[in-house]
Amino acid sequence: MRKNYILLLLTIFVFTVSHAQSISGIISDETTNEKLIGVNIISTDGKGIATDIFGKYTLKLEAGTHQITFRYIGYKDVIKDIVLKNGEQKTINIKLKTASEQLSTVVISAGKFEQKLEEITVSMEVLKPSLIENKNTTDIQTAIDQVPGVNITDGQANIRGGSGWSYGAGTRVLVMVDDMPLISGDAGQVQWKLIATENIHQIEVIKGASSALYGSSALNGVINIRTAFPTQKDIDKDTNKTGYLKVNMHSGVYDFAERESLNWNGDKRRAFKGYEFLFSNKENGWDLSIGGNIFKDDGYRMGEITDRKRFNINLKYKDKKIEGLSYGAKGNFLFQSSGSAIIWHSLENAYIPKDSSIQTTNGDTYNIDPFITYHKGNNRHSLRTRYLKVINDNSTKGVDDGQDNESETYYTDYQWQKNLEKIGLRITTGITNELVTARSDLFNGNNQRKNHSFYAQLDQKWRRFNLSVGARYEQFKLTSEEYYMINGEKKNSFQASKPVFRAGLNYKVAEETYLRTSWGQGFRFPSMAELFISTDFSGFRIYPNPELKPESGWSTEVGVKQGVKIGKWMGYLDVAAFLMQYDDMMEFSFGAWHEVGEEIAFGFKSINAGKTQISGVECSISGFGKFTNDFGINVIAGYTFMNPVSLMPHDTIFLAQGVTPITYNNSSSDPSVLKYRYKNIAKLDLEFTYKKLTVGSSFRYNDFMKNVDKIFTEDLIGGENGMIPGINAAREKFEGGDFIIDSRVSYQLNDNLRFAFIVNNMLNREYMSRPADMQPPRTLALQMSLKI
C-alpha cells in the first residue's frame, strides 16, 4: 500500500513537472525570415531568457496573466499579454521588424551595457569600421585623430585639451579593447600597434572624466575599441552557418616634399605596403574570428623603418548544456622592428633625426584574454582577465646598452549586473585587480605595482529621464628596487588611494531632442616611467622624478543632442559646454637642469604643473545613410574651442632630489596658458556614395600651438645656430595653424571586390605635431579589398 502511495506521488510530480506552464517558439526577421540569435524574452515578474543559435526559446512561467516583451537591438519591441492555465504550454512564434525608421546607434562604453547613443549622460563619438577601412588605416591612431575634439601626439591621446605632450609616458585617456585596458604596465603607454584594425565593430570615444567606471587612466576620457564576432546577417539560410574571408592589400609611396632640402633620399621615393585578412565563422555555438596584418614601411624620416607582423584571434562558445553560459578567449600577438626619432636635425633637414639618432626597437607584444559570462534572468555575471607582455629590445646609435625594458601585466575584472526591467533600474558593480612587474635599467631595475579597486553604478530609466550615478575606490602601491632620498628619508615604496564619484542626467525634451548634464571626478597614479626613467636620447637627458604626486580632478558638461532623419539618412547634431579642473597635473617638461656638482644639461622630466583648468565648447555632427536608393552621405564633423590655463602659473612647482631648474618660468609665451595644446580644432570627414562609386575627403584644422617649453625657443636651442636649429623659424612659418586634406575614391566592382585610391596630405603641406617633429609629406596608395 505504501509503495503504491509513493508511486502515485511520483507519477503526479512527474506529470506536473513535464506539464509546467511555459511559452516557446521561434523568433525570426520579418523580412528575411532569418532566425535571430540572442533575442531577449522578458516577463513582467523578472523572468527572462534569450533565443539559442536556432532562434528558439522556452520560458517557464507561473499560471496566470503575464506581459511578455520580445526585445532585440536594432528591432522594434514586441509586447504580448498572455494567460496561462495550469500545465498549459503555448507556442508563440514572433517575427520582429527592424527599427530602421528610428535612430538606433547602440553603444556600450558609457555604462558597460547596451544603450542608445542619444540617451547616455556623457559626450560620446562613434566611429564605424567603414571609415577605418576606407582611409586605408594601418595604425588606428590615424582614424581616431579624425574624431572631433581629439588629437594624438607621439602616441598620447588628448581629448578637449586634457593632455599635453609626454612622449608616451603615462596617459590620461584610457584606451581599451572590448572593455580591457591596452596600456603597458611600466610606461603607461598605449599599445596602438597591437590593435587589430582588420576586426573592428566600432570605436566609442567618451569625453570627460571616466575614472568611476574605468579607473586611473580614464581621467580625461575613454577610447573603447569593440571588436567584431560573426553577425546574424551573415548566417546562411540553408545551412545555418556563417563564414567569410576578408582580405585587404595596399601599396603606396611617400611623395617628394616641396622643399628640396627635405628630400634626403634623393630622387627615390620611399614606399610602404601591407596585407591584412580576417576570417570569421559561426557554427554550432562557436564564434570564431582570426585576423592578421603584415606591414612594411621605409619611413619618410631617415632610419624610421618599420617591419610589423600582427595576428589576432577571438573565440567564444555558447554552452549548450548550461543556459546563459558563454566563455572563450581573445588574443593579439605583435612582432615588430621599428625605428623612431624624437627631434629633427634642423628645419632645413627636418626628416633627418638629430645626430642621425634613431631608437630601434625590436620586440614582441602580446595579450591573452580568457573570459566567461553567465546570464540568467535579469542577472549577468562576467569575469574578464588579461595577461599582457611587452618586450622592447631598444638600441640607439651612440648610446650604451641598458635601454631595454620588459613588463608583464596581470589584470582581472569581475562584474555583476542586475537589470530590474520592471522599474527601469540597472545595477552594475565590480572588482578590478592589477599586478604589474617590470624589469628595466631605464627604470632602475625591478619594479612592481599593484592596483585594487571596487566600483558601482546605478542607471535609472524613468519616463523621459535617464539618471546615472557611480563611484569607485582605488588603491595603488608601487615598489622599486632602487631607494630614493625624499624629504630626508630613503624610500622605495609609493602608494596612494582615493574614492571618485560621478553623476549624470539625460532628459528627453522632445522627439529626438535630448538634454544632458554630467559631473565626474578623476584620479591618476603616475607610471613607473614618469617616476623613475633615467636615460639619454638624441643628446638629451631624461630625468626621473620620484617625488611626482598623483593627479586628480573633475569635469562637468551640459549638452544637447538632436536626432535628424531625412528619408533613410539618420544623424545627430550635438552641442556641449565643458569645464575640467586638475590638481597636481603631471606634465612632461623640457628644460635646462643640472645635477649637483655637474655641468648644465638639457633634458626632459615629468613634473607636477599644479592646479589647471580647461573650459570650452564643442559642436559636432555625425550621420549616415541614403537619401535615395543610389545616393548616400556619411559624415562626422566637429569644432572644438578650448581654453587651457594654469591657475598657478608663477609658482616653482617642479623641484626634485638632486635636480634644480635653471629657468624659473618654463613657458615660451603667456605662462597662464597650458603647454602643447591648441585653442581651436575643426575636423570633417565627408563621404558620398553613388551606386558603386564612393568619394570621400577628410579635413583637419588646428590653430597655432601658442605655448611650448620656453627653452625650445631660446636661441641656444631653437635659434638658427642652436642645438636644434630652426624651431623658432618653424613657429613663425606655421603660426597660422595647420590645414590638412586627405582624399579617397573607391569603386565596388562586384559584391566581392573593391578598389580604392587614397591620397593623404593632398596639398603636401608641411606641419608639425609639436616642436622639432615634422609630419609626413603627401602619400599615395592603391588598395584592393576582397570579401568571399
Side-chain angles (χ1 to χ4, degrees):
M1 180 68 179
R2 185 176 180 182
K3 290 182 179 180
N4 291 336
Y5 178 70
I6 294 174
L7 182 61
L8 177 62
L9 288 177
L10 289 173
T11 303
I12 294 172
F13 174 77
V14 171
F15 179 85
T16 301
V17 171
S18 61
H19 291 79
Q21 306 79 226
S22 66
I23 58 172
S24 61
I26 298 174
I27 301 180
S28 57
D29 184 290
E30 183 186 57
T31 304
T32 66
N33 205 36
E34 293 178 357
K35 307 302 183 291
L36 299 179
I37 301 171
V39 178
N40 291 314
I41 302 98
I42 306 162
S43 69
T44 50
D45 61 3
K47 293 183 178 179
I49 200 170
T51 54
D52 62 17
I53 61 173
F54 305 107
K56 296 180 179 179
Y57 75 94
T58 299
L59 179 61
K60 296 178 181 179
L61 297 166
E62 302 293 332
T65 301
H66 301 272
Q67 186 178 80
I68 308 297
T69 301
F70 300 84
R71 178 166 295 163
Y72 196 51
I73 292 293
Y75 288 78
K76 291 182 179 179
D77 287 356
V78 171
I79 300 175
K80 285 189 173 293
D81 293 317
I82 64 167
V83 178
L84 286 176
K85 299 176 182 178
N86 285 326
E88 185 177 10
Q89 296 177 334
K90 281 190 175 182
T91 299
I92 302 177
N93 296 323
I94 299 293
K95 292 186 179 294
L96 295 181
K97 297 180 181 180
T98 59
S100 57
E101 74 280 3
Q102 300 176 5
L103 296 172
S104 56
T105 297
V106 177
V107 296
I108 290 178
S109 303
K112 293 199 173 184
F113 65 94
E114 291 183 336
Q115 296 173 277
K116 291 183 179 180
L117 177 61
E118 60 269 26
E119 292 182 350
I120 65 176
T121 63
V122 294
S123 284
M124 180 185 285
E125 301 287 350
V126 177
L127 284 183
K128 296 295 184 180
S130 58
L131 176 65
I132 299 166
E133 183 175 326
N134 294 345
K135 285 177 69 68
N136 193 40
T137 302
T138 58
D139 189 330
I140 199 64
Q141 296 177 75
T142 60
I144 293 174
D145 211 21
Q146 197 62 46
V147 175
V150 178
N151 61 283
I152 297 176
T153 303
D154 285 333
Q156 174 163 295
N158 180 339
I159 297 178
R160 292 175 171 173
S163 299
W165 173 45
S166 72
Y167 202 64
T171 178
R172 290 190 188 91
V173 176
L174 181 60
V175 177
M176 314 181 77
V177 176
D178 294 327
D179 295 320
M180 299 287 285
L182 201 64
I183 296 176
S184 65
D186 51 3
Q189 188 173 35
V190 179
Q191 301 301 296
W192 294 107
K193 292 177 175 57
L194 195 59
I195 298 171
T197 55
E198 66 274 6
N199 185 26
I200 291 179
H201 172 64
Q202 69 182 21
I203 299 175
E204 300 170 2
V205 181
I206 300 176
K207 301 174 181 180
S210 302
S211 294
L213 265 185
Y214 290 102
S216 173
S217 296
L219 180 65
N220 185 218
V222 172
I223 298 173
N224 192 8
I225 297 151
R226 294 171 54 195
T227 59
F229 277 111
T231 59
Q232 182 70 35
K233 66 181 181 181
D234 296 311
I235 291 182
D236 187 285
K237 298 178 185 178
D238 298 323
T239 64
N240 199 50
K241 297 178 182 178
T242 182
Y244 66 85
L245 174 65
K246 181 173 69 175
V247 179
N248 288 335
M249 295 175 281
H250 74 271
S251 180
V253 295
Y254 293 98
D255 205 352
F256 298 116
E258 292 189 358
R259 280 196 295 137
E260 283 295 326
S261 64
L262 297 182
N263 297 317
W264 58 271
N265 203 40
D267 59 357
K268 184 179 179 181
R269 287 184 171 91
R270 309 288 285 179
F272 55 89
K273 59 183 177 181
Y275 313 88
E276 64 180 32
F277 74 92
L278 175 66
F279 172 73
S280 187
N281 189 54
K282 178 189 287 288
E283 184 175 357
N284 295 326
W286 289 94
D287 290 349
L288 173 66
S289 295
I290 300 175
N293 171 275
I294 298 174
F295 180 64
K296 295 188 176 182
D297 185 2
D298 293 339
Y300 65 95
R301 292 189 180 110
M302 179 185 288
E304 278 196 344
I305 300 172
T306 298
D307 188 347
R308 183 174 74 222
K309 301 174 183 66
R310 186 192 65 236
F311 304 95
N312 68 86
I313 182 169
N314 285 7
L315 182 65
K316 181 169 68 175
Y317 179 69
K318 295 179 181 178
D319 199 288
K320 294 182 179 180
K321 296 181 179 179
I322 304 176
E323 188 177 307
L325 179 66
S326 61
Y327 42 86
K330 301 180 181 183
N332 295 278
F333 306 87
L334 171 67
F335 312 94
Q336 69 171 336
S337 172
S338 63
S340 61
I342 189 171
I343 291 174
W344 68 31
H345 180 273
S346 65
L347 177 58
E348 285 301 303
N349 302 113
Y351 292 151
I352 298 177
K354 177 177 169 55
D355 301 330
S356 299
S357 181
I358 285 286
Q359 184 180 73
T360 302
T361 299
N362 297 290
D364 305 335
T365 303
Y366 56 89
N367 68 280
I368 302 171
D369 304 344
F371 65 89
I372 183 169
T373 62
Y374 179 59
H375 195 166
K376 184 174 183 180
N378 56 11
N379 290 279
R380 181 179 181 272
H381 301 267
S382 69
L383 177 63
R384 297 177 180 270
T385 65
R386 162 161 291 171
Y387 172 71
L388 170 65
K389 185 158 188 176
V390 179
I391 304 171
N392 290 322
D393 181 7
N394 299 318
S395 61
T396 304
K397 180 181 176 181
V399 177
D400 294 334
D401 290 338
Q403 297 196 40
D404 302 343
N405 64 291
E406 178 179 317
S407 69
E408 294 177 298
T409 301
Y410 303 86
Y411 181 92
T412 64
D413 178 69
Y414 165 74
Q415 183 188 115
W416 169 68
Q417 278 193 351
K418 188 174 185 68
N419 184 17
L420 302 175
E421 182 92 13
K422 193 171 183 179
I423 60 174
L425 177 65
R426 187 182 296 262
I427 304 168
T428 303
T429 185
I431 299 173
T432 300
N433 293 284
E434 184 182 50
L435 171 65
V436 176
T437 60
R439 295 169 291 279
S440 171
D441 291 335
L442 286 172
F443 309 142
N444 292 328
N446 297 329
N447 300 294
Q448 184 182 86
R449 191 189 74 187
K450 295 179 180 178
N451 172 222
H452 308 288
S453 58
F454 168 79
Y455 61 89
Q457 181 161 303
L458 302 177
D459 291 275
Q460 175 73 59
K461 186 171 184 177
W462 179 71
R463 296 183 180 178
R464 291 174 173 262
F465 291 93
N466 283 275
L467 174 65
S468 178
V469 293
R472 186 185 191 99
Y473 181 80
E474 286 210 281
Q475 184 181 59
F476 285 89
K477 184 176 181 180
L478 196 156
T479 304
S480 170
E481 186 178 39
E482 182 83 5
Y483 280 83
Y484 298 88
M485 188 66 68
I486 300 175
N487 296 325
E489 180 184 354
K490 292 180 68 176
K491 289 185 63 176
N492 77 327
S493 181
F494 307 83
Q495 52 191 331
S497 58
K498 187 176 180 65
V500 292
F501 304 91
R502 71 166 302 272
L505 179 66
N506 184 299
Y507 175 66
K508 185 176 180 180
V509 180
E511 189 66 25
E512 302 303 343
T513 303
Y514 297 83
L515 181 68
R516 70 179 183 276
T517 183
S518 65
W519 173 86
Q521 292 178 309
F523 171 69
R524 185 170 81 86
F525 190 77
S527 67
M528 296 178 187
E530 291 170 299
L531 288 165
F532 306 134
I533 190 168
S534 179
T535 188
D536 290 291
F537 191 78
S538 293
F540 296 98
R541 185 77 181 164
I542 302 179
Y543 290 93
N545 187 0
E547 292 185 279
L548 198 63
K549 301 175 185 176
E551 61 181 336
S552 59
W554 55 267
S555 69
T556 185
E557 73 163 10
V558 60
V560 60
K561 187 180 290 289
Q562 175 64 56
V564 180
K565 187 174 184 301
I566 306 173
K568 294 183 179 180
W569 190 90
M570 298 175 292
Y572 302 96
L573 293 168
D574 194 281
V575 180
F578 57 88
L579 174 65
M580 298 177 275
Q581 281 196 3
Y582 298 95
D583 296 316
D584 292 319
M585 174 179 267
M586 289 182 269
E587 293 278 75
F588 201 50
S589 185
F590 178 55
W593 314 84
H594 73 89
E595 295 187 1
V596 175
E598 295 186 4
E599 295 182 356
I600 293 175
F602 299 97
F604 299 88
K605 184 170 66 171
S606 291
I607 64 170
N608 287 115
K611 195 175 184 65
T612 60
Q613 176 178 288
I614 301 128
S615 58
V617 294
E618 185 171 80
C619 308
S620 66
I621 180 173
S622 61
F624 58 92
K626 292 187 175 183
F627 288 98
T628 69
N629 290 333
D630 295 328
F631 178 70
I633 296 178
N634 299 329
V635 61
I636 179 169
Y639 164 73
T640 309
F641 169 77
M642 299 155 288
N643 185 33
V645 297
S646 171
L647 299 181
M648 46 188 303
H650 299 294
D651 290 348
T652 302
I653 50 178
F654 41 89
L655 294 174
Q657 176 212 350
V659 178
T660 305
I662 298 305
T663 53
Y664 177 73
N665 186 316
N666 207 30
S667 300
S668 64
S669 182
D670 182 352
S672 67
V673 178
L674 292 179
K675 295 177 294 184
Y676 302 108
R677 290 162 171 88
Y678 306 111
K679 277 203 167 186
N680 298 277
I681 297 176
K683 299 185 179 183
L684 166 65
D685 188 88
L686 190 60
E687 186 176 82
F688 300 93
T689 61
Y690 180 72
K691 293 185 177 179
K692 296 183 177 183
L693 180 68
T694 300
V695 179
S697 284
S698 297
F699 306 86
R700 297 186 302 280
Y701 168 78
N702 55 261
D703 61 358
F704 181 58
M705 186 179 284
K706 185 178 179 180
N707 206 7
V708 299
D709 282 307
K710 183 178 181 179
I711 201 162
F712 270 130
T713 63
E714 300 281 356
D715 286 340
L716 177 65
I717 300 293
E720 185 177 346
N721 298 310
M723 294 177 63
I724 315 173
I727 289 180
N728 288 338
R731 286 177 62 77
E732 292 178 8
K733 181 177 182 178
F734 304 135
E735 65 180 358
D738 304 316
F739 180 61
I740 309 301
I741 301 175
D742 304 331
S743 293
R744 59 190 184 270
V745 59
S746 66
Y747 185 76
Q748 191 75 38
L749 190 65
N750 52 44
D751 291 341
N752 305 108
L753 191 61
R754 183 177 67 90
F755 293 95
F757 179 60
I758 302 103
V759 181
N760 290 330
N761 192 6
M762 189 172 68
L763 302 179
N764 210 13
R765 295 281 300 268
E766 291 183 25
Y767 67 105
M768 301 187 301
S769 65
R770 43 87 179 165
D773 181 42
M774 190 72 78
Q775 292 298 289
R778 178 168 49 220
T779 63
L780 305 97
L782 287 170
Q783 181 192 65
M784 184 189 77
S785 300
L786 177 67
K787 185 176 180 180
I788 53 178

